[in-house]
Amino acid sequence: MTSDETLTILACQIDVPPTVSVQNRDAHLANTVAKVRARLDGSVSVDLVVLPELSSIDYSREAFAGLNELAEPVDGASFGAWRQLAQEFKIYVSYGFARSGKGGPFISTGVVGPDGELVGYYDKLHLAQYGASMEKEYFHRGNHLFAFEVKGFRLAPIICYDIRIPELTRTLVVDQNVDVILHCGAYYRDESFHTWHAFATARALENQVFFLSLNRAGETYGNSLFCLPWQDEKTPPLSFAERSEDFQVISLDRKTLQKARRDYTFLKDRLEHYRIDLMKA
């Protein structure tokens, strides 16, 4: 890979209406696909479209109470909808859905490739149960990591509350050689909302990765951001709309990643271990 190669992402902070039936869900899917298609108008070449957590359904007790109908297999309605778009524009699409299956349901991120095939999926490892979150009442946690490659960049999805467990992102970067974290959330404006951006900036800086932290839109959501591997007063995070829908085209380049890791050797300076007997070693 040459140092000037780039990866272009269309990050979609979308509205998600109430979805208490399969008909609601599928109508919302069709509407969202149409919105994204309208923005893939050829003026910018996009490699990857990213959508937020559970982008196929509403985040609410009313929707979760209907998971017997709304949860889908990996090749369900959400995959079918985004598969068509991926094939049409020869792109990758990362989307959120409620996954059914053995041990489920799960809060999941699926990725479909330009050939229309499922690249893989990730089930949320850490379930939130505070503030406006009630996931442990309805979902089960996943049991695997997932990473994939686009144009030589290695990407991995994590979901919402996962950001607050630093070991996950560190493992993806150190052990799985990930360059880009796709952090998709449903961040409600409860008492924890104010702390979210600090976590996103910290995860990007301490792991020296590109970090997309993508929320859904709405009166009680919004404020997505994108962080570079190095941030300072001259290079702040890219901010999305405070509440309304926002579709941002973001270009990532290899040189930015390499420069951050060359100039600031956080990852290289880690010790082999941090046991209590460190000074005796």
Side-chain angles (χ1 to χ4, degrees):
M1 171 183 291
T2 60
S3 61
D4 59 350
E5 284 194 11
T6 60
L7 173 70
T8 304
I9 295 174
L10 175 63
C12 308
Q13 180 176 286
I14 60 164
D15 276 319
V16 182
T19 51
V20 295
S21 69
V22 169
Q23 291 75 19
N24 294 156
R25 181 198 67 195
D26 293 353
H28 162 61
L29 273 169
N31 186 44
T32 305
V33 169
K35 289 178 182 179
V36 173
R37 178 180 285 109
R39 285 160 177 81
L40 298 172
D41 58 5
S43 59
V44 177
S45 178
V46 170
D47 304 302
L48 168 67
V49 169
V50 183
L51 294 128
E53 177 185 18
L54 291 175
S55 55
S56 301
I57 66 170
D58 187 20
Y59 192 107
S60 69
R61 287 191 180 276
E62 292 76 15
F64 295 169
L67 284 171
N68 284 342
E69 292 186 3
L70 295 175
E72 334 164 24
V74 291
D75 59 352
S78 295
F79 169 73
W82 295 114
R83 179 178 189 265
Q84 293 181 14
L85 190 83
Q87 288 179 303
E88 179 181 348
F89 290 94
K90 304 301 179 188
I91 58 174
Y92 292 80
V93 181
S94 173
Y95 57 94
F97 69 111
R99 187 175 77 80
S100 61
K102 184 178 180 181
F106 305 95
I107 297 174
S108 301
T109 293
V111 177
V112 59
D115 58 1
E117 297 297 318
L118 182 73
V119 179
Y121 65 91
Y122 166 72
D123 299 327
K124 189 173 186 177
L125 287 179
H126 306 98
L127 301 177
Q129 191 72 24
Y130 60 85
S133 301
M134 58 312 220
E135 295 165 9
K136 292 180 181 179
E137 299 173 45
Y138 298 97
F139 295 97
H140 297 270
R141 69 176 183 86
N143 62 7
H144 70 278
L145 302 180
F146 166 54
F148 64 104
E149 290 195 8
V150 182
K151 292 182 68 176
F153 288 81
R154 191 157 172 81
L155 306 97
I158 65 173
I159 302 175
C160 209
Y161 183 49
D162 282 337
I163 195 178
R164 299 176 187 266
I165 314 299
E167 291 85 353
L168 174 57
T169 302
R170 177 53 57 90
T171 295
L172 288 168
V173 172
V174 172
D175 296 341
Q176 302 297 323
N177 299 312
V178 166
D179 306 308
V180 186
I181 299 293
L182 303 177
H183 172 240
C184 298
Y187 274 103
Y188 189 87
R189 292 176 181 270
D190 62 12
E191 63 268 27
S192 70
F193 188 86
H194 178 73
T195 66
W196 155 39
H197 284 192
F199 278 88
T201 303
R203 294 296 90 82
L205 288 172
E206 70 192 5
N207 293 292
Q208 302 184 291
V209 288
F210 295 106
F211 200 99
L212 173 63
S213 198
L214 183 64
N215 200 9
R216 58 180 61 193
E219 187 60 28
T220 53
Y221 294 99
N223 278 127
S224 303
L225 73 162
F226 170 73
C227 299
L228 294 165
W230 174 255
Q231 304 276 176
D232 56 29
E233 66 278 9
K234 297 179 182 178
T235 55
L238 170 67
S239 298
F240 287 60
E242 186 174 354
R243 286 179 170 84
S244 61
E245 286 197 322
D246 197 1
F247 297 80
Q248 295 272 1
V249 175
I250 304 167
S251 291
L252 291 61
D253 68 277
R254 177 63 61 176
K255 277 194 293 189
T256 296
L257 189 67
Q258 291 173 332
K259 185 177 188 303
R261 292 183 177 183
R262 182 193 68 217
D263 294 351
Y264 305 97
T265 55
F266 308 152
L267 293 175
K268 291 180 181 178
D269 290 339
R270 289 177 302 115
L271 301 184
E272 183 178 352
H273 66 81
Y274 292 89
R275 294 192 298 267
I276 195 71
D277 60 349
L278 179 65
M279 298 306 295
K280 300 176 182 179

